[in-house]
Amino acid sequence: MLPGGDAQMLGLPSTTEVGRRIPKEAFYGRLKVSAALRQSFIDDVERFTVANSIKTSTTGIPDGERVHEVLVVEVALKARRVPEEVLALVAQANPHKLLFACTFNDEVRLAVMLKGIAVGEWRSVEDASLTLKATSMDGVWDSIASQVAYGDTGSETATVDERFAADARLKALREELAKTEARGRKERQLARKNALFDQVQELKRQIAAIEEGR
């Protein structure tokens, strides 16, 4: 928990509270968006509210090298569905790190933008809370994003962005491995079959190296 203040949304102290509503039009009105994405803002989102600002002046946590402020943005939904493309657009248009708290009735689903949108599970608003590493704002962001994306408070050897990038690389390698193995099973020409076998072994080596370093 962060020091200073009574527990509020997600267990954050009152010193971080902002409560500033942002009109939806502030996003889709000034940014270049498709008609479908604009409609998603209208149909899926009731309102955006900057609920909390986590930074040195509101928490006493030392500033980070990569991260200086994390904003908690409550996204009140019109249905129990998270519009991931909307969240991605909002995150890309904001210089700060954002934690989205998507709420519907008495439930909340957290989301963060890494190389792509990572979305957690639905939880009761009353039970939802965050455990934060308060060593620096870098640690705060890594712990928040790791809880959303991985269900833990972070890795000692890699940032959350590095973990997410490694996962994306693993997914791509595994898909390429499956395709190469399938081609190898169908290939009848010996030289090509051997070349595909070598490719399979190299892909397996790359996958093992990434998994070992996680």
Side-chain angles (χ1 to χ4, degrees):
M1 290 292 183
L2 289 171
D6 297 328
Q8 305 292 326
M9 173 179 277
L10 302 176
L12 300 175
S14 58
T15 52
T16 67
E17 289 182 355
V18 177
R20 183 176 73 250
R21 183 168 175 174
I22 303 175
K24 293 185 290 184
E25 295 78 8
F27 297 110
Y28 67 74
R30 63 183 176 85
L31 299 175
K32 187 175 182 180
V33 300
S34 66
L37 187 53
R38 182 180 184 276
Q39 199 61 44
S40 182
F41 271 95
I42 296 170
D43 294 342
D44 299 328
V45 179
E46 184 69 42
R47 64 182 178 276
F48 292 97
T49 304
V50 178
N52 302 81
S53 170
I54 305 171
K55 55 185 178 179
T56 299
S57 63
T58 61
T59 65
I61 294 174
D63 197 14
E65 294 182 4
R66 297 176 289 110
V67 180
H68 309 292
E69 182 176 19
V70 179
L71 295 177
V72 180
V73 179
E74 181 184 2
V75 185
L77 302 175
K78 293 184 178 181
R80 197 175 182 270
R81 187 187 76 81
V82 174
E84 295 186 15
E85 289 187 357
V86 166
L87 302 188
L89 181 72
V90 173
Q92 290 163 356
N94 196 293
H96 305 294
K97 297 295 187 181
L98 303 182
L99 168 66
F100 295 104
C102 303
T103 57
F104 181 70
N105 292 337
D106 59 351
E107 292 183 289
V108 62
R109 196 174 187 187
L110 303 181
V112 291
M113 183 68 174
L114 299 171
K115 293 296 183 181
I117 284 288
V119 184
E121 301 297 326
W122 284 104
R123 292 185 285 173
S124 164
V125 170
E126 292 184 358
D127 297 334
S129 63
L130 292 170
T131 301
L132 305 182
K133 290 184 177 179
T135 53
S136 73
M137 287 305 301
D138 291 344
V140 165
W141 171 247
D142 277 351
S143 65
I144 287 174
S146 292
Q147 286 170 84
V148 175
Y150 297 102
D152 59 39
T153 56
S155 167
E156 297 299 327
T157 58
T159 67
V160 68
D161 290 297
E162 290 169 342
R163 294 172 74 187
F164 198 80
D167 283 351
R169 178 64 177 153
L170 271 177
K171 180 181 178 182
L173 286 171
R174 286 169 177 157
E175 290 174 351
E176 186 178 354
L177 175 61
K179 292 177 182 178
T180 306
E181 287 178 328
R183 288 171 57 199
R185 287 191 294 270
K186 295 177 181 178
E187 183 60 58
R188 293 294 176 261
Q189 208 280 334
L190 184 59
R192 291 174 183 165
K193 194 176 188 71
N194 288 338
L196 288 168
F197 176 81
D198 290 340
Q199 290 178 32
V200 165
Q201 298 310 305
E202 174 59 21
L203 288 168
K204 287 182 177 179
R205 185 196 66 77
Q206 293 181 39
I207 290 170
I210 294 175
E211 290 178 333
E212 184 178 350
R214 294 175 74 188

PDB file of all heavy atoms in Angstrom, residues 87-107:
ATOM      1  N   LEU A  87      -9.385   2.124 -25.338  1.00  0.00           N
ATOM      2  CA  LEU A  87      -8.351   2.297 -24.312  1.00  0.00           C
ATOM      3  C   LEU A  87      -6.985   2.516 -24.947  1.00  0.00           C
ATOM      4  O   LEU A  87      -6.198   3.352 -24.480  1.00  0.00           O
ATOM      5  CB  LEU A  87      -8.307   1.075 -23.394  1.00  0.00           C
ATOM      6  CG  LEU A  87      -9.589   0.708 -22.651  1.00  0.00           C
ATOM      7  CD1 LEU A  87      -9.311  -0.400 -21.649  1.00  0.00           C
ATOM      8  CD2 LEU A  87     -10.224   1.913 -21.970  1.00  0.00           C
ATOM      9  N   ALA A  88      -6.688   1.774 -25.996  1.00  0.00           N
ATOM     10  CA  ALA A  88      -5.393   1.910 -26.671  1.00  0.00           C
ATOM     11  C   ALA A  88      -5.233   3.318 -27.233  1.00  0.00           C
ATOM     12  O   ALA A  88      -4.163   3.930 -27.104  1.00  0.00           O
ATOM     13  CB  ALA A  88      -5.264   0.870 -27.776  1.00  0.00           C
ATOM     14  N   LEU A  89      -6.271   3.867 -27.837  1.00  0.00           N
ATOM     15  CA  LEU A  89      -6.205   5.211 -28.390  1.00  0.00           C
ATOM     16  C   LEU A  89      -5.971   6.242 -27.298  1.00  0.00           C
ATOM     17  O   LEU A  89      -5.141   7.140 -27.439  1.00  0.00           O
ATOM     18  CB  LEU A  89      -7.490   5.532 -29.146  1.00  0.00           C
ATOM     19  CG  LEU A  89      -7.521   6.924 -29.782  1.00  0.00           C
ATOM     20  CD1 LEU A  89      -6.583   6.991 -30.972  1.00  0.00           C
ATOM     21  CD2 LEU A  89      -8.937   7.303 -30.208  1.00  0.00           C
ATOM     22  N   VAL A  90      -6.708   6.123 -26.193  1.00  0.00           N
ATOM     23  CA  VAL A  90      -6.546   7.065 -25.081  1.00  0.00           C
ATOM     24  C   VAL A  90      -5.134   6.997 -24.521  1.00  0.00           C
ATOM     25  O   VAL A  90      -4.500   8.024 -24.248  1.00  0.00           O
ATOM     26  CB  VAL A  90      -7.582   6.779 -23.983  1.00  0.00           C
ATOM     27  CG1 VAL A  90      -7.312   7.635 -22.752  1.00  0.00           C
ATOM     28  CG2 VAL A  90      -9.002   7.023 -24.498  1.00  0.00           C
ATOM     29  N   ALA A  91      -4.600   5.790 -24.356  1.00  0.00           N
ATOM     30  CA  ALA A  91      -3.256   5.621 -23.806  1.00  0.00           C
ATOM     31  C   ALA A  91      -2.203   6.210 -24.731  1.00  0.00           C
ATOM     32  O   ALA A  91      -1.255   6.868 -24.279  1.00  0.00           O
ATOM     33  CB  ALA A  91      -2.977   4.145 -23.554  1.00  0.00           C
ATOM     34  N   GLN A  92      -2.362   5.975 -26.025  1.00  0.00           N
ATOM     35  CA  GLN A  92      -1.378   6.472 -26.986  1.00  0.00           C
ATOM     36  C   GLN A  92      -1.388   7.996 -27.086  1.00  0.00           C
ATOM     37  O   GLN A  92      -0.378   8.604 -27.443  1.00  0.00           O
ATOM     38  CB  GLN A  92      -1.645   5.846 -28.357  1.00  0.00           C
ATOM     39  CG  GLN A  92      -1.315   4.359 -28.395  1.00  0.00           C
ATOM     40  CD  GLN A  92      -1.939   3.648 -29.587  1.00  0.00           C
ATOM     41  OE1 GLN A  92      -2.691   4.242 -30.367  1.00  0.00           O
ATOM     42  NE2 GLN A  92      -1.644   2.371 -29.732  1.00  0.00           N
ATOM     43  N   ALA A  93      -2.512   8.612 -26.747  1.00  0.00           N
ATOM     44  CA  ALA A  93      -2.634  10.066 -26.838  1.00  0.00           C
ATOM     45  C   ALA A  93      -2.202  10.778 -25.562  1.00  0.00           C
ATOM     46  O   ALA A  93      -2.218  12.005 -25.502  1.00  0.00           O
ATOM     47  CB  ALA A  93      -4.076  10.445 -27.163  1.00  0.00           C
ATOM     48  N   ASN A  94      -1.799   9.998 -24.536  1.00  0.00           N
ATOM     49  CA  ASN A  94      -1.454  10.589 -23.243  1.00  0.00           C
ATOM     50  C   ASN A  94       0.021  10.330 -22.926  1.00  0.00           C
ATOM     51  O   ASN A  94       0.489   9.201 -23.050  1.00  0.00           O
ATOM     52  CB  ASN A  94      -2.338   9.987 -22.146  1.00  0.00           C
ATOM     53  CG  ASN A  94      -2.318  10.814 -20.875  1.00  0.00           C
ATOM     54  OD1 ASN A  94      -1.302  10.906 -20.195  1.00  0.00           O
ATOM     55  ND2 ASN A  94      -3.441  11.435 -20.553  1.00  0.00           N
ATOM     56  N   PRO A  95       0.774  11.352 -22.478  1.00  0.00           N
ATOM     57  CA  PRO A  95       2.193  11.163 -22.183  1.00  0.00           C
ATOM     58  C   PRO A  95       2.453  10.410 -20.882  1.00  0.00           C
ATOM     59  O   PRO A  95       3.565   9.939 -20.647  1.00  0.00           O
ATOM     60  CB  PRO A  95       2.725  12.596 -22.097  1.00  0.00           C
ATOM     61  CG  PRO A  95       1.541  13.406 -21.658  1.00  0.00           C
ATOM     62  CD  PRO A  95       0.350  12.764 -22.325  1.00  0.00           C
ATOM     63  N   HIS A  96       1.433  10.301 -20.022  1.00  0.00           N
ATOM     64  CA  HIS A  96       1.591   9.625 -18.736  1.00  0.00           C
ATOM     65  C   HIS A  96       1.277   8.134 -18.866  1.00  0.00           C
ATOM     66  O   HIS A  96       0.648   7.690 -19.820  1.00  0.00           O
ATOM     67  CB  HIS A  96       0.665  10.240 -17.683  1.00  0.00           C
ATOM     68  CG  HIS A  96       0.829  11.718 -17.521  1.00  0.00           C
ATOM     69  ND1 HIS A  96       1.977  12.293 -17.037  1.00  0.00           N
ATOM     70  CD2 HIS A  96      -0.025  12.752 -17.800  1.00  0.00           C
ATOM     71  CE1 HIS A  96       1.839  13.613 -17.003  1.00  0.00           C
ATOM     72  NE2 HIS A  96       0.641  13.911 -17.462  1.00  0.00           N
ATOM     73  N   LYS A  97       1.719   7.374 -17.867  1.00  0.00           N
ATOM     74  CA  LYS A  97       1.307   5.986 -17.767  1.00  0.00           C
ATOM     75  C   LYS A  97      -0.116   5.953 -17.230  1.00  0.00           C
ATOM     76  O   LYS A  97      -0.446   6.678 -16.280  1.00  0.00           O
ATOM     77  CB  LYS A  97       2.237   5.203 -16.827  1.00  0.00           C
ATOM     78  CG  LYS A  97       3.686   5.126 -17.295  1.00  0.00           C
ATOM     79  CD  LYS A  97       3.810   4.329 -18.582  1.00  0.00           C
ATOM     80  CE  LYS A  97       5.253   4.116 -18.964  1.00  0.00           C
ATOM     81  NZ  LYS A  97       5.399   3.355 -20.237  1.00  0.00           N
ATOM     82  N   LEU A  98      -0.949   5.136 -17.822  1.00  0.00           N
ATOM     83  CA  LEU A  98      -2.357   5.081 -17.431  1.00  0.00           C
ATOM     84  C   LEU A  98      -2.731   3.698 -16.931  1.00  0.00           C
ATOM     85  O   LEU A  98      -2.373   2.689 -17.539  1.00  0.00           O
ATOM     86  CB  LEU A  98      -3.262   5.439 -18.609  1.00  0.00           C
ATOM     87  CG  LEU A  98      -3.061   6.796 -19.290  1.00  0.00           C
ATOM     88  CD1 LEU A  98      -4.095   6.983 -20.403  1.00  0.00           C
ATOM     89  CD2 LEU A  98      -3.145   7.936 -18.286  1.00  0.00           C
ATOM     90  N   LEU A  99      -3.461   3.672 -15.824  1.00  0.00           N
ATOM     91  CA  LEU A  99      -4.124   2.464 -15.352  1.00  0.00           C
ATOM     92  C   LEU A  99      -5.609   2.685 -15.546  1.00  0.00           C
ATOM     93  O   LEU A  99      -6.200   3.584 -14.946  1.00  0.00           O
ATOM     94  CB  LEU A  99      -3.818   2.207 -13.877  1.00  0.00           C
ATOM     95  CG  LEU A  99      -4.685   1.128 -13.211  1.00  0.00           C
ATOM     96  CD1 LEU A  99      -4.413  -0.247 -13.823  1.00  0.00           C
ATOM     97  CD2 LEU A  99      -4.460   1.102 -11.701  1.00  0.00           C
ATOM     98  N   PHE A 100      -6.229   1.886 -16.409  1.00  0.00           N
ATOM     99  CA  PHE A 100      -7.663   1.999 -16.645  1.00  0.00           C
ATOM    100  C   PHE A 100      -8.411   1.111 -15.663  1.00  0.00           C
ATOM    101  O   PHE A 100      -8.104  -0.077 -15.533  1.00  0.00           O
ATOM    102  CB  PHE A 100      -7.999   1.565 -18.071  1.00  0.00           C
ATOM    103  CG  PHE A 100      -7.421   2.446 -19.140  1.00  0.00           C
ATOM    104  CD1 PHE A 100      -6.305   2.031 -19.866  1.00  0.00           C
ATOM    105  CD2 PHE A 100      -7.986   3.675 -19.426  1.00  0.00           C
ATOM    106  CE1 PHE A 100      -5.765   2.835 -20.857  1.00  0.00           C
ATOM    107  CE2 PHE A 100      -7.450   4.490 -20.421  1.00  0.00           C
ATOM    108  CZ  PHE A 100      -6.335   4.063 -21.134  1.00  0.00           C
ATOM    109  N   ALA A 101      -9.376   1.694 -14.968  1.00  0.00           N
ATOM    110  CA  ALA A 101     -10.272   0.941 -14.094  1.00  0.00           C
ATOM    111  C   ALA A 101     -11.641   0.950 -14.763  1.00  0.00           C
ATOM    112  O   ALA A 101     -12.398   1.919 -14.646  1.00  0.00           O
ATOM    113  CB  ALA A 101     -10.333   1.564 -12.706  1.00  0.00           C
ATOM    114  N   CYS A 102     -11.930  -0.102 -15.508  1.00  0.00           N
ATOM    115  CA  CYS A 102     -13.183  -0.188 -16.271  1.00  0.00           C
ATOM    116  C   CYS A 102     -14.284  -0.730 -15.366  1.00  0.00           C
ATOM    117  O   CYS A 102     -14.193  -1.874 -14.906  1.00  0.00           O
ATOM    118  CB  CYS A 102     -12.987  -1.085 -17.487  1.00  0.00           C
ATOM    119  SG  CYS A 102     -11.659  -0.536 -18.585  1.00  0.00           S
ATOM    120  N   THR A 103     -15.294   0.075 -15.106  1.00  0.00           N
ATOM    121  CA  THR A 103     -16.321  -0.298 -14.142  1.00  0.00           C
ATOM    122  C   THR A 103     -17.670  -0.519 -14.821  1.00  0.00           C
ATOM    123  O   THR A 103     -18.044   0.187 -15.758  1.00  0.00           O
ATOM    124  CB  THR A 103     -16.480   0.795 -13.065  1.00  0.00           C
ATOM    125  OG1 THR A 103     -16.794   2.054 -13.697  1.00  0.00           O
ATOM    126  CG2 THR A 103     -15.193   0.954 -12.269  1.00  0.00           C
ATOM    127  N   PHE A 104     -18.374  -1.524 -14.316  1.00  0.00           N
ATOM    128  CA  PHE A 104     -19.747  -1.776 -14.751  1.00  0.00           C
ATOM    129  C   PHE A 104     -20.500  -2.333 -13.551  1.00  0.00           C
ATOM    130  O   PHE A 104     -20.122  -3.360 -12.989  1.00  0.00           O
ATOM    131  CB  PHE A 104     -19.783  -2.770 -15.913  1.00  0.00           C
ATOM    132  CG  PHE A 104     -21.172  -3.039 -16.420  1.00  0.00           C
ATOM    133  CD1 PHE A 104     -21.874  -2.062 -17.104  1.00  0.00           C
ATOM    134  CD2 PHE A 104     -21.781  -4.262 -16.178  1.00  0.00           C
ATOM    135  CE1 PHE A 104     -23.168  -2.305 -17.562  1.00  0.00           C
ATOM    136  CE2 PHE A 104     -23.070  -4.513 -16.633  1.00  0.00           C
ATOM    137  CZ  PHE A 104     -23.770  -3.530 -17.327  1.00  0.00           C
ATOM    138  N   ASN A 105     -21.552  -1.642 -13.157  1.00  0.00           N
ATOM    139  CA  ASN A 105     -22.285  -1.977 -11.931  1.00  0.00           C
ATOM    140  C   ASN A 105     -21.310  -2.021 -10.759  1.00  0.00           C
ATOM    141  O   ASN A 105     -20.643  -1.039 -10.494  1.00  0.00           O
ATOM    142  CB  ASN A 105     -23.052  -3.283 -12.112  1.00  0.00           C
ATOM    143  CG  ASN A 105     -24.195  -3.145 -13.112  1.00  0.00           C
ATOM    144  OD1 ASN A 105     -24.680  -2.039 -13.352  1.00  0.00           O
ATOM    145  ND2 ASN A 105     -24.618  -4.253 -13.694  1.00  0.00           N
ATOM    146  N   ASP A 106     -21.168  -3.148 -10.071  1.00  0.00           N
ATOM    147  CA  ASP A 106     -20.285  -3.208  -8.911  1.00  0.00           C
ATOM    148  C   ASP A 106     -19.013  -3.999  -9.201  1.00  0.00           C
ATOM    149  O   ASP A 106     -18.374  -4.523  -8.305  1.00  0.00           O
ATOM    150  CB  ASP A 106     -21.021  -3.828  -7.715  1.00  0.00           C
ATOM    151  CG  ASP A 106     -21.527  -5.234  -8.014  1.00  0.00           C
ATOM    152  OD1 ASP A 106     -21.465  -5.650  -9.186  1.00  0.00           O
ATOM    153  OD2 ASP A 106     -21.980  -5.911  -7.068  1.00  0.00           O
ATOM    154  N   GLU A 107     -18.637  -4.068 -10.492  1.00  0.00           N
ATOM    155  CA  GLU A 107     -17.433  -4.791 -10.881  1.00  0.00           C
ATOM    156  C   GLU A 107     -16.426  -3.857 -11.541  1.00  0.00           C
ATOM    157  O   GLU A 107     -16.785  -2.813 -12.071  1.00  0.00           O
ATOM    158  CB  GLU A 107     -17.767  -5.932 -11.844  1.00  0.00           C
ATOM    159  CG  GLU A 107     -18.552  -7.074 -11.224  1.00  0.00           C
ATOM    160  CD  GLU A 107     -18.772  -8.186 -12.240  1.00  0.00           C
ATOM    161  OE1 GLU A 107     -19.561  -7.964 -13.178  1.00  0.00           O
ATOM    162  OE2 GLU A 107     -18.159  -9.258 -12.102  1.00  0.00           O
TER     163      GLU A 107
END
